[in-house]
Amino acid sequence: MELYDLTVHEIMDNLRKKEASAKEVTEATFHRIANVESTIKAYISLCEEKALDWADKVDQQIGAGEGIPDLAGVPMALKDNICTKNILTTCASKMLENFIPPYNATVVKKIYAQKSVLIGKTNMDEFAMGSSTEHSAFHITKNPWNISCVSGGSSGGSAAAVASGEAFFALGSDTGGSIRQPASFCGLVGLKPTYGLVSRYGLIAYASSFDQIGPLTKDVEDCALVMNGITGHDKMDMTSVNRGKIDYKKALVRDIKGMKIGVIKEIFQEKMDKGVRQSILRALERLKDMGGIIEEASIPHIKYSLPAYYIMTSSECSSNLARFDGIRYGYRAKEYTDIKDLFMRTRSEGFGEEVKRRIMLGTYALGAGYYEEYYQHALKIRTLIKNDFEKAFKKFDVLITPTTLTTAFKLQERTENPLDMYLSDICTVPANIAGVPAISICCGFQEGLPIGMQIIGKPFNEGTLLRIAYTYEKSTDYHKKRPKL
């Protein structure tokens, strides 16, 4: 097995035993990028010189006999909507194609404190609006398992980088499934933490009351290690919750005896691929054999989650993206007649079609005479869905659905019909509406493409999700499979 195929914890074992150096691991990663990046196109920008310098410093620390953190010397990637000081951060948009932030996001500071090696910034759907990473202003990212298929979105670049061996782990952002859906399509572990558990300071906002940063990894143990590195209270984020220091490695226990697992019946009533349904049912049988108590669960208002989600997030994006006007920063139209024309031309030229579509939808929903009819109704549905989850969690420890109803779809298959694209998020959106944590793990394959199972937990019960996911993962070999590129 090549170095780039190893997990984070395997690389850390090698580094601590001095069987490999951080520089060797970093060089191997860039060699892999040189071989496959022209096909996969996971990255927007790379920082090779800085990465090798960071790796050298880790090797010096190891050589001096000093202890190193659990992510030290490990090459990683960041979604390009997470601010990095003096490193290009574009949101995959023409609007920010030359933006270099003067500060680091809090998660970046935390990852740097762990001595991780930043390889580069990954491709995404523009401003995180999309489900396929086909809505980037720069290029389309392809699925490492089948390059004729999408990698998912909006964190598709982060997922493809990890799956193809171009990074050992990556951070993405999840507004309605943008970590879990690409994790499902690329055969990875993807975790959306409870809203408020991971600081959003330095994350360029799409929809502020939904966005959450989380990890994409090759297995559950890696996920726990990354969660240890990025969680914690942040005074710079007023939505950050102080839960104290939690060691998620303690959740890596192979025991789910007596745990109550609910299967959301409304999702299973949706049309899904036969292979997806069979894989989820087999996974549920396996969990039952290991001592889990499997019963049907109901989230009655879940059928309203998708329309409510798109009204609320589009409204928030309409507000958040109003700052991009060609005056203070970002792209500015070269030709204009007056200030109004400058605004119109800048935003027309700087934003892509999907971003403009959502801005217009959100502006309409917030307009005089429509606010109560659309936005306020969506907020009421959000409360109903949140209450549904609270009621279900009085009986169950976790809830389970497929992460997606299908495996990765073909490139350009859904770009002409936005509604078909939006339906990609039907299983993942409810967790964001309720603000609860959810994890996607691989539970099978269909025609060579990975299938994801989603486990949804109670607020701040990431440890329970990791425990169930770890127990299931150790009973399979799906996490050991790698795409052939």
Side-chain angles (χ1 to χ4, degrees):
M1 184 176 282
E2 301 288 345
L3 272 177
Y4 57 76
D5 282 327
L6 300 179
T7 61
V8 171
H9 56 89
E10 289 169 338
I11 286 295
M12 290 308 304
D13 286 342
N14 285 351
L15 293 179
R16 287 178 170 134
K17 293 175 183 177
K18 298 184 179 179
E19 294 174 355
S21 68
K23 187 172 183 179
E24 287 172 344
V25 174
T26 304
E27 287 175 338
T29 303
F30 278 108
H31 183 68
R32 177 64 168 173
I33 289 170
N35 287 337
V36 304
E37 176 61 11
S38 60
T39 300
I40 301 300
K41 295 189 178 297
Y43 287 95
I44 288 176
S45 60
L46 296 167
C47 40
E48 185 169 359
E49 187 176 335
K50 288 182 179 180
L52 292 171
D53 181 53
W54 287 325
D56 271 333
K57 290 177 180 176
V58 173
D59 286 333
Q60 290 170 19
Q61 193 171 339
I62 294 171
E66 300 177 25
I68 56 173
D70 284 338
L71 302 176
V74 179
M76 58 83 62
L78 292 170
K79 187 175 180 178
D80 207 28
N81 60 347
I82 300 173
C83 287
T84 41
K85 185 176 181 179
N86 298 328
I87 298 174
L88 192 67
T89 302
T90 70
C91 276
S93 177
K94 184 178 179 180
M95 188 65 81
L96 290 176
E97 62 184 344
N98 297 313
F99 176 58
I100 298 177
Y103 69 99
N104 284 318
T106 296
V107 290
V108 175
K109 291 179 182 178
K110 286 179 174 288
I111 288 295
Y112 284 173
Q114 286 281 315
K115 310 293 183 185
S116 292
V117 175
L118 176 60
I119 294 295
K121 307 295 290 293
T122 56
N123 196 28
M124 56 184 282
D125 287 302
E126 184 182 6
F127 282 100
M129 299 179 198
S131 304
S132 64
T133 312
E134 294 175 285
H135 297 296
S136 167
F138 303 110
H139 50 253
I140 294 171
T141 297
K142 298 175 183 176
N143 192 314
W145 293 92
N146 184 335
I147 61 172
S148 68
C149 295
V150 302
S151 59
S154 62
S155 306
S158 289
V162 177
S164 62
E166 297 181 79
F168 287 87
F169 73 92
L171 297 186
S173 67
D174 192 311
T175 307
S178 291
I179 289 172
R180 289 159 288 153
Q181 188 247 30
S184 175
F185 282 1
C186 292
L188 301 175
V189 174
L191 173 61
K192 182 204 85 71
T194 306
Y195 185 80
L197 184 64
V198 178
S199 173
R200 292 185 299 109
Y201 179 72
L203 173 67
I204 298 173
Y206 161 20
S208 305
S209 73
F210 291 80
D211 299 339
Q212 190 68 161
I213 296 171
L216 287 143
T217 62
K218 293 174 183 172
D219 67 11
V220 177
E221 184 173 348
D222 282 3
C223 186
L225 295 177
V226 178
M227 284 293 289
N228 279 351
I230 66 174
T231 56
H233 180 250
D234 179 19
K235 64 181 181 180
M236 300 298 289
D237 177 4
M238 294 188 70
T239 62
S240 177
V241 179
N242 191 352
R243 300 288 294 181
K245 184 64 178 174
I246 302 171
D247 184 2
Y248 291 102
K249 289 188 291 183
K250 292 181 179 178
L252 303 177
V253 178
R254 297 178 65 177
D255 180 15
I256 62 167
K257 291 182 179 66
M259 284 193 168
K260 295 182 178 179
I261 299 169
V263 181
I264 300 179
K265 67 178 183 179
E266 288 84 2
I267 294 294
F268 274 82
Q269 289 166 0
E270 296 284 345
K271 183 179 179 181
M272 69 178 75
D273 284 356
K274 183 179 178 181
V276 173
R277 185 181 296 275
Q278 290 176 341
S279 290
I280 297 295
L281 292 176
R282 282 197 299 268
L284 290 169
E285 280 299 315
R286 193 179 291 264
L287 291 171
K288 183 178 179 180
D289 291 342
M290 292 186 288
I293 301 169
I294 313 294
E295 294 181 15
E296 188 176 78
S298 177
I299 305 293
H301 296 95
I302 204 168
K303 60 185 176 182
Y304 304 116
S305 59
L306 211 58
Y309 167 83
Y310 276 101
I311 288 172
M312 288 185 286
T313 56
S314 296
S315 297
E316 291 188 31
C317 99
S318 171
S319 174
N320 280 328
L321 270 61
R323 72 193 74 176
F324 300 107
D325 54 13
I327 302 296
R328 289 159 289 186
Y329 46 76
Y331 175 80
R332 176 183 290 186
K334 293 180 173 59
E335 296 181 6
Y336 52 90
T337 56
D338 54 29
I339 190 71
K340 183 178 179 180
D341 192 43
L342 169 62
F343 289 165
M344 291 177 61
R345 288 180 182 271
T346 294
R347 291 169 68 79
S348 294
E349 296 169 12
F351 290 135
E353 292 303 312
E354 183 60 30
V355 173
K356 286 187 278 192
R357 182 181 293 116
R358 298 195 194 195
I359 289 173
M360 288 189 290
L361 173 61
T363 303
Y364 181 83
L366 293 175
Y370 300 104
Y371 175 86
E372 291 184 0
E373 185 176 353
Y374 293 105
Y375 186 67
Q376 200 168 70
H377 269 76
L379 291 179
K380 291 177 180 178
I381 290 169
R382 185 177 202 172
T383 300
L384 291 172
I385 292 171
K386 187 174 183 294
N387 291 343
D388 285 347
F389 274 103
E390 288 176 355
K391 184 178 179 180
F393 284 132
K394 288 179 181 177
K395 180 177 181 181
F396 298 104
D397 294 300
V398 298
L399 301 171
I400 282 182
T401 73
T403 309
T404 56
L405 299 178
T406 70
T407 53
F409 47 87
K410 296 290 185 181
L411 294 165
Q412 299 182 329
E413 183 178 306
R414 302 187 183 183
T415 52
E416 296 303 315
N417 189 336
L419 291 178
D420 282 349
M421 187 73 78
Y422 297 166
L423 287 170
S424 303
D425 302 329
I426 196 167
C427 300
T428 53
V429 155
N432 296 81
I433 290 177
V436 296
I439 191 170
S440 177
I441 58 172
C442 187
C443 68
F445 286 81
Q446 177 178 264
E447 297 179 358
L449 288 169
I451 295 167
M453 175 171 66
Q454 179 180 224
I455 310 171
I456 306 170
K458 301 174 185 178
F460 304 105
N461 264 29
E462 281 77 5
T464 301
L465 296 186
L466 291 167
R467 180 175 176 176
I468 293 175
Y470 182 77
T471 301
Y472 172 77
E473 182 184 80
K474 288 300 180 182
S475 72
T476 75
D477 65 350
Y478 300 132
H479 61 291
K480 296 179 181 179
K481 297 182 182 296
R482 301 288 184 265
K484 296 178 180 179
L485 289 167

